[in-house]
Amino acid sequence: MPQTSSTRALPGTPGRLAWTVSDGSLEALKWVALALMAGDHVNKYLLHESSTTLYALGRMVMPVFGFVLMFNLARPGALQGGLHRRVMKRLAIFGALAMPAFAWLVGWLPLNILFTLFVATLVVYLLERGGKGYRLLAVMAFVIGGALVEFWWPALLCCLGAWAFVRQPTAGRFTLWALGTASLAIINGNFAALVALALIWGATQVDIPLRRSRWVFYAFYPAHLTALALFLATR
């Protein structure tokens, strides 16, 4: 089956069709995660987590966004093209923009989810640079960064598991990804995050014609948290 410009095998696996994801389906995953995140935050801040359904669905958000990010970082030429540095810059900027509302709603620590994705990107960047020095820095970033960000080390394990699998989709690496995702149960209190793996697999079975909306996902996070904080502050 020939690949088209909108359908490509997972990076690092030329000629293999397992877990093929089209660009449009990847975009659809982001929209689904964004909707689930909005529902989760409405449930958390406005409904006082009264909806167990919205809470469970919200546990899939981080694994989905983490997969999409790792998929893009693993594309051929991403490191050489400076994608990792650009992504870290955007995550840092929009994460900082979200901090006033996030701090009002939750507190200053742990840092919000955009900083979680920032640390995951930083670890991957250092690992891809190669060499003992960069690997040591990657370990330090994982240990120190994981102590400071939302969902802590389990979130980083989930992202790094996805990155390892995307680069070489083997049964062993899928198991590591699943275990990393399952470790989120320590924080979530359930294993609902694992359903994200089924959702991602479902995206590999269809080619959804969606155009990329890069800045919507970055901007939505601080915008919706600010709106929630302002609404609660004026009640």
Side-chain angles (χ1 to χ4, degrees):
M1 180 185 297
Q3 293 181 337
T4 67
S5 60
S6 63
T7 304
R8 58 191 75 179
L10 288 177
T13 58
R16 295 179 61 179
L17 298 177
W19 288 74
T20 300
V21 187
S22 73
D23 290 342
S25 295
L26 205 65
E27 190 72 6
L29 280 174
K30 292 194 292 184
W31 281 106
V32 169
L34 186 146
L36 295 178
M37 179 179 68
D40 181 54
H41 287 171
V42 167
N43 182 49
K44 181 176 182 178
Y45 301 118
L46 302 185
L47 304 179
H48 309 290
E49 295 190 336
S50 60
S51 173
T52 56
T53 299
L54 288 176
Y55 178 81
L57 290 172
R59 299 318 96 202
M60 294 191 288
V61 173
M62 201 293 301
V64 171
F65 274 131
F67 170 81
V68 173
L69 174 61
M70 294 299 113
F71 186 97
N72 286 324
L73 292 180
R75 291 181 188 272
L79 181 66
Q80 294 78 4
L83 178 62
H84 298 63
R85 293 190 296 272
R86 293 196 301 274
V87 166
M88 285 189 286
K89 181 178 179 180
R90 295 167 192 159
L91 289 169
I93 290 172
F94 286 95
L97 289 174
M99 277 310 300
F102 185 84
W104 193 87
L105 291 166
V106 180
W108 288 102
L109 287 175
L111 300 175
N112 65 63
I113 191 66
L114 296 188
F115 288 106
T116 306
L117 298 176
F118 174 93
V119 174
T121 303
L122 175 61
V123 172
V124 166
Y125 172 73
L126 293 170
L127 289 175
E128 291 202 13
R129 292 294 299 271
K132 292 183 179 179
Y134 283 115
R135 286 196 293 270
L136 177 60
L137 288 174
V139 172
M140 292 175 61
F142 177 87
V143 173
I144 298 173
L148 300 174
V149 297
E150 197 173 9
F151 295 105
W152 298 286
W153 299 282
L156 299 183
L157 289 173
C158 176
C159 289
L160 293 175
W163 175 71
F165 177 73
V166 163
R167 285 166 58 88
Q168 187 176 345
T170 64
R173 292 191 177 207
F174 179 81
T175 300
L176 290 176
W177 179 23
L179 289 173
T181 304
S183 72
L184 287 164
I186 298 171
I187 300 163
N188 296 336
N190 59 43
F191 289 96
L194 284 171
V195 181
L197 303 186
L199 178 64
I200 293 166
W201 178 83
T204 70
Q205 304 303 300
V206 293
D207 185 356
I208 302 173
L210 279 180
R211 291 185 178 181
R212 188 180 181 190
S213 302
R214 178 189 304 168
W215 297 106
V216 170
F217 301 96
Y218 286 107
F220 181 81
Y221 187 76
H224 91 285
L225 285 185
T226 301
L228 286 170
L230 290 174
F231 176 78
L232 290 173
T234 57
R235 288 181 64 178

